[in-house]
Amino acid sequence: MVIQNEPQTQKMEGKSRDEVRNKLHNLYGNDYEIIAWDPILKGGFLGLFQTELVQATFYVKKRQIEPQETVKPSYQSYSNPYNSQGVDPTYRQSEEERLASNQQAIIQSQNSVLMQNQITMMQEMKNAMDAMKMQINQVTSPTRVETHETINRIEELLEKNDFSLSYIKRITERIRSTFSLEHLDNYQTVERIVVDWIGQSVNIAEEKVHRPPHVYILVGPTGVGKTTTLIKLLTQKYIVNRTADKRYVIKMITTDTMKVGAKEQLEAWGEYLKLDVVKAEKNEDLRDLYEKYKDHCDGIFIDTSGYSPNDSKHLSRMKNILEVPGLNPDIYLMMDAKTKARDMINIMQNYEPFGYGSVIISKCDEAGVLGNVISALSEKHKTISYITTGQSAARDIKRVNPLDFIMRLEGFNIDRDHIEEKFNGKGEF
């Protein structure tokens, strides 16, 4: 019997003994022998979070080759399948091919193991960093601050007033960064300052001085009361200037081709104020009217059609009608006070192409709370100019003041003297 040289030992590792045996069997079939098992630690980050593995010490069995017995040839003639050493050459060839195949498989396996080890190490590093970050957060953010009763009460009041989740989150984060644990125990102080923050987040638009004619345009979804509000705004400007004995010539134009009776509604008020109402269905119509009026009037009030904020086709058409050279309009976006904050944000976003400078909120008398309005305006960093309440054209529109929102807060203890002093000069409360 011919025995090849003594085999060298090798090592193979895995998560379990069964995994190691499967790897060895895939590489060598049954031609291996395990001589030892050892537990090992591998991977980790800075010595932390290492993985326990098992490692087998083994060797590949060398095939024993038995010499062939001498066979006497028969009288029949046949070709000798063996070489001079008594070994089938085709067997040796297949053995060499198998060894080459196993060698290639070993290389591929080693590359695969190396890649897997790299992936495992990167994941372990990420896990270690996440664990360290969690430990740091636990040290720097005591549980008591996260669940303090004062914060809970403020959150409940903000939810009751229909503030958006993102607005509430900003307020609570500001509370945590502003007040110590000792100061959080004083609920009245925290509440008073939070009310101030709410008032400060209401950004009031400043009234602009326009060279005549001052062009007013109201845009917004259907049903928010644009035509009624335009009449209120027009009447207010008309009365204020007439009371001051100022010459104030007004022209009214409607581009509303959708709402039934829109022109008739304007004409009824135009007749009361002795004003004509004209209609502009196309850009050319509005351009001609502006050229006709611009040197002979102080204010031009333009009513528009109401479209869904998602109706891009009609919104684009209306925008095209309003694009008149030299018009320089004062554009207001109108929204209903009862609209949810997320829907208001969507409306403001989709009406951005009109370049509106400020917002008018209608039907405030029909809304219980106004946290939704404050949240949406704050989220989009928009200013507000007017609010409307009721049907009276002469008095149910007003320049807004933060107090108009603060005094509508439910559940908060409002120090009116304090907030009137704090927000003095902002609007005409």
Side-chain angles (χ1 to χ4, degrees):
M1 179 176 64
V2 179
I3 302 178
Q4 297 182 6
N5 294 335
E6 188 69 22
Q8 294 183 347
T9 59
Q10 302 180 52
K11 296 184 184 297
M12 178 67 73
E13 62 188 37
K15 296 180 181 179
S16 65
R17 294 191 179 194
D18 287 340
E19 182 180 314
V20 173
R21 288 191 183 97
N22 289 335
K23 289 181 180 179
L24 293 174
H25 186 271
N26 290 337
L27 294 174
Y28 308 111
N30 293 323
D31 294 338
Y32 69 91
E33 184 73 31
I34 297 176
I35 59 177
W37 291 98
D38 297 295
I40 62 172
L41 295 175
K42 196 164 185 179
F45 178 69
L46 301 178
L48 301 174
F49 308 102
Q50 292 184 316
T51 303
E52 284 192 17
L53 302 174
V54 292
Q55 180 176 268
T57 304
F58 71 98
Y59 67 88
V60 179
K61 296 178 183 178
K62 300 299 181 180
R63 187 177 182 86
Q64 297 180 354
I65 305 174
E66 298 289 342
Q68 299 293 323
E69 294 183 2
T70 303
V71 180
K72 295 180 180 180
S74 67
Y75 292 105
Q76 296 178 345
S77 176
Y78 67 93
S79 60
N80 184 1
Y82 301 98
N83 60 16
S84 59
Q85 284 76 32
V87 178
D88 185 349
T90 60
Y91 176 83
R92 182 179 298 278
Q93 184 179 9
S94 63
E95 178 74 8
E96 290 172 354
E97 290 175 351
R98 191 173 74 85
L99 289 174
S101 177
N102 285 346
Q103 185 179 20
Q104 184 64 28
I106 291 171
I107 294 173
Q108 292 177 352
S109 176
Q110 289 174 339
N111 290 340
S112 177
V113 170
L114 180 60
M115 182 176 294
Q116 186 60 44
N117 286 343
Q118 291 175 339
I119 294 174
T120 301
M121 183 175 294
M122 291 176 65
Q123 185 60 45
E124 289 171 345
M125 291 176 65
K126 181 181 181 301
N127 293 341
M129 295 297 291
D130 290 343
M132 293 169 66
K133 182 179 179 181
M134 185 178 296
Q135 292 173 353
I136 293 172
N137 288 339
Q138 289 174 350
V139 172
T140 58
S141 301
T143 303
R144 189 184 176 200
V145 175
E146 295 292 333
T147 58
H148 196 284
E149 180 60 25
T150 291
I151 295 178
N152 291 338
R153 290 176 64 184
I154 295 295
E155 286 181 337
E156 290 173 0
L157 287 178
L158 292 172
E159 290 174 0
K160 181 179 179 181
N161 283 273
D162 281 349
F163 284 91
S164 67
L165 292 178
S166 59
Y167 189 95
I168 294 173
K169 183 179 178 181
R170 290 199 301 272
I171 290 292
T172 55
E173 287 178 350
R174 189 173 180 182
I175 292 173
R176 293 186 182 103
S177 64
T178 302
F179 298 98
S180 66
L181 285 173
E182 180 181 355
H183 289 144
L184 280 176
D185 291 333
N186 189 338
Y187 173 78
Q188 286 74 22
T189 298
V190 177
E191 179 189 40
R192 175 174 171 171
I193 293 177
V194 167
V195 170
D196 287 349
W197 291 346
I198 293 172
Q200 291 166 353
S201 71
V202 179
N203 193 4
I204 308 299
E206 296 182 1
E207 281 200 282
K208 299 178 181 178
V209 177
H210 286 251
R211 178 181 298 176
H214 188 164
V215 180
Y216 298 85
I217 299 178
L218 271 58
V219 298
T222 183
V224 297
K226 292 188 299 299
T227 302
T228 302
T229 301
L230 187 76
I231 293 170
K232 290 179 179 180
L233 186 61
L234 178 152
T235 303
Q236 184 188 74
K237 299 295 181 182
Y238 184 84
I239 292 174
V240 167
N241 284 277
R242 288 293 187 182
T243 302
D245 292 327
K246 292 182 180 178
R247 172 185 174 274
Y248 196 71
V249 179
I250 294 175
K251 297 297 179 180
M252 289 193 293
I253 302 173
T254 179
T255 64
D256 191 350
T257 59
M258 300 294 292
K259 181 181 175 182
V260 177
K263 185 171 184 290
E264 289 74 15
Q265 185 180 2
L266 283 175
E267 285 177 339
W269 277 97
E271 184 177 350
Y272 175 76
L273 297 172
K274 298 180 180 179
L275 302 172
D276 293 329
V277 179
V278 292
K279 193 168 188 176
E281 296 185 359
K282 298 179 294 184
N283 175 267
E284 292 80 5
D285 297 337
L286 185 59
R287 185 185 304 135
D288 292 343
L289 288 171
Y290 177 67
E291 290 297 324
K292 178 181 178 181
Y293 294 149
K294 68 178 183 179
D295 297 325
H296 309 288
C297 66
D298 300 288
I300 299 176
F301 293 79
I302 302 176
D303 191 24
T304 63
S305 299
Y307 296 111
S308 162
N310 301 314
D311 188 349
S312 57
K313 178 181 178 180
H314 283 97
L315 289 179
S316 177
R317 179 180 178 277
M318 186 170 71
K319 181 176 181 294
N320 180 65
I321 293 175
L322 299 174
E323 289 181 340
V324 173
L327 193 65
N328 190 28
D330 201 356
I331 302 177
Y332 297 90
L333 173 64
M334 279 205 60
M335 294 186 292
D336 187 329
K338 302 186 300 298
T339 307
K340 294 179 180 179
R342 64 174 180 269
D343 294 329
M344 284 188 170
I345 291 171
N346 181 56
I347 292 169
M348 287 189 279
Q349 180 67 37
N350 290 345
Y351 272 87
E352 285 282 6
F354 289 89
Y356 61 91
S358 187
V359 170
I360 297 175
I361 300 297
S362 65
K363 307 179 184 180
C364 289
D365 55 315
E366 300 177 16
V369 291
L370 298 174
N372 56 324
V373 178
I374 300 172
S375 299
L377 293 173
S378 176
E379 181 83 16
K380 297 298 293 181
H381 307 288
K382 297 298 183 181
T383 61
I384 181 169
S385 296
Y386 297 92
I387 59 173
T388 71
T389 56
Q391 299 299 317
S392 173
R395 66 173 182 271
D396 289 342
I397 185 171
K398 59 173 293 187
R399 289 284 302 177
V400 74
N401 182 286
L403 274 72
D404 295 313
F405 293 95
I406 294 174
M407 298 307 298
R408 295 283 291 271
L409 292 173
E410 292 186 0
F412 285 93
N413 182 29
I414 307 299
D415 183 346
R416 178 152 187 160
D417 291 338
H418 165 70
I419 61 172
E420 284 184 343
E421 179 180 356
K422 187 172 186 66
F423 297 106
N424 183 36
K426 291 188 176 181
E428 301 171 358
F429 182 77

